[in-house]
Amino acid sequence: MNQYLIPANSKRSMLILGLFTPVDLIIVGIGGFITLMMMFIVDAETIQDIGIILTPLLISAAMVAPVPNHRNVWNLTANIYHYLSRRRTYYWKGWCMTSGEEASSEK
């Protein structure tokens, strides 16, 4: 009987620290770099300033956080972005619409 059992964590062994892909680390690195640059540019005097400075790092960390079904979270984030950033055209034709043509009652 040549039956092989594949361990449940075999795919995790291909990830960095068992959690992250190289793209995930690049995303966090870019967020950290932007945060680091903002630390030198912005003079943080209040808690709100600190929040603004940490925003890029927090967003990038939230994007790669190891949550269950994180690819679904990526897809949801992309859908929200596309919904908010694209022009929406709604086509509606109701009972009061005349197909774009004015009905002339003068004859």
Side-chain angles (χ1 to χ4, degrees):
M1 297 189 73
N2 291 332
Q3 294 181 349
Y4 297 102
L5 179 64
I6 299 173
N9 61 356
S10 64
K11 292 226 177 212
R12 290 186 74 182
S13 66
M14 295 187 296
L15 300 175
I16 300 169
L17 299 176
L19 296 172
F20 305 107
T21 63
V23 174
D24 294 339
L25 295 180
I26 290 170
I27 290 171
V28 171
I30 290 171
F33 179 75
I34 293 170
T35 299
L36 189 62
M37 292 296 110
M38 287 178 69
M39 289 174 75
F40 292 117
I41 295 171
V42 177
D43 185 26
E45 296 178 356
T46 64
I47 297 294
Q48 293 167 340
D49 293 339
I50 294 170
I52 291 170
I53 291 172
L54 291 177
T55 299
L57 182 62
L58 294 175
I59 289 173
S60 63
M63 288 174 66
V64 299
V67 296
N69 303 319
H70 75 283
R71 296 298 170 202
N72 294 341
V73 175
W74 270 97
N75 197 4
L76 175 66
T77 305
N79 289 341
I80 291 171
Y81 171 75
H82 289 305
Y83 176 78
L84 294 175
S85 65
R86 301 249 168 100
R87 182 176 178 192
R88 292 176 293 280
T89 304
Y90 299 107
Y91 298 102
W92 177 79
K93 188 173 183 178
W95 60 270
C96 61
M97 185 74 176
T98 60
S99 300
E101 300 170 0
E102 295 274 336
S104 176
S105 61
E106 297 177 30
K107 284 195 176 184

